Amino acid sequence: MAGFLGAAYLWVKALHILAVIAWMAAFLYLPRLFVYHCEAEAGSKQSETFKVMERRLLRGIMTPSMIVAWLAGLALVLHLEAWTYGWFHVKALAVVILTVLHMMAARWRRDFAEDANRRSPRFYRIMNEVPALLMVVIVIMVVVQPF
């Protein structure tokens, strides 16, 4: 039985890592699409193409991978009793912030879909860096476990 649980743990861990990679890849691309979309005239063919790309990226990759990352991550947390470690609290906070940012990105996408964006390309360039910074914090907490 221990061998089965060990193998299951490794499969869940692999699934979690794959989902996080997909989530982050999409997260690093979506705000960049928003930067380019800001420069397209509302109603233009280019703007309509960006709307399709943003919707497909968010709904087809980003949100499903976030859900899988959360579910597999919660399974790992329960298995490892990770809440007993200080590093985990920092990681969990960073993941919650990342999730809130995901929800904000979904709202920004709806604004673009309705031709109602009120933000500048500079705003989205800055927001493009936030997920990367959170990713650095998360990886350091999990790998180095500084406390």
Side-chain angles (χ1 to χ4, degrees):
M1 187 67 148
F4 172 76
L5 291 177
Y9 165 77
L10 293 176
W11 280 105
V12 171
K13 187 175 181 179
L15 179 64
H16 180 67
I17 291 168
L18 291 169
V20 169
I21 289 169
W23 188 23
M24 290 309 305
F27 227 139
L28 296 173
Y29 187 45
L30 186 61
R32 180 55 47 186
L33 285 176
F34 293 158
V35 169
Y36 299 139
H37 198 160
C38 284
E39 298 166 357
E41 186 177 329
S44 69
K45 183 177 181 185
Q46 187 180 30
S47 176
E48 296 306 309
T49 299
F50 281 127
K51 289 177 186 181
V52 171
M53 293 170 67
E54 292 157 359
R55 185 186 76 247
R56 288 180 179 169
L57 181 62
L58 185 72
R59 291 186 180 169
I61 297 171
M62 197 166 156
T63 298
S65 60
M66 177 193 68
I67 292 167
V68 172
W70 264 98
L71 293 175
L74 288 172
L76 294 171
V77 166
L78 292 173
H79 178 75
L80 299 172
E81 297 181 355
W83 61 85
T84 62
Y85 302 102
W87 61 265
F88 173 75
H89 298 278
V90 175
K91 180 208 178 200
L93 177 62
V95 171
V96 167
I97 293 168
L98 196 60
T99 302
V100 169
L101 187 58
H102 180 116
M103 293 177 208
M104 291 169 64
R107 177 65 213 171
W108 301 330
R109 189 209 60 83
R110 281 193 305 278
D111 289 345
F112 276 111
E114 298 167 359
D115 293 323
N117 174 53
R118 296 175 305 281
R119 293 171 181 82
S120 69
R122 183 173 186 271
F123 171 81
Y124 293 115
R125 281 187 191 96
I126 292 167
M127 295 315 294
N128 191 219
E129 304 304 324
V130 176
L133 294 173
L134 290 167
M135 178 182 62
V136 169
V137 169
I138 291 166
V139 168
I140 290 171
M141 290 301 114
V142 173
V143 174
V144 179
Q145 297 180 0
F147 46 87

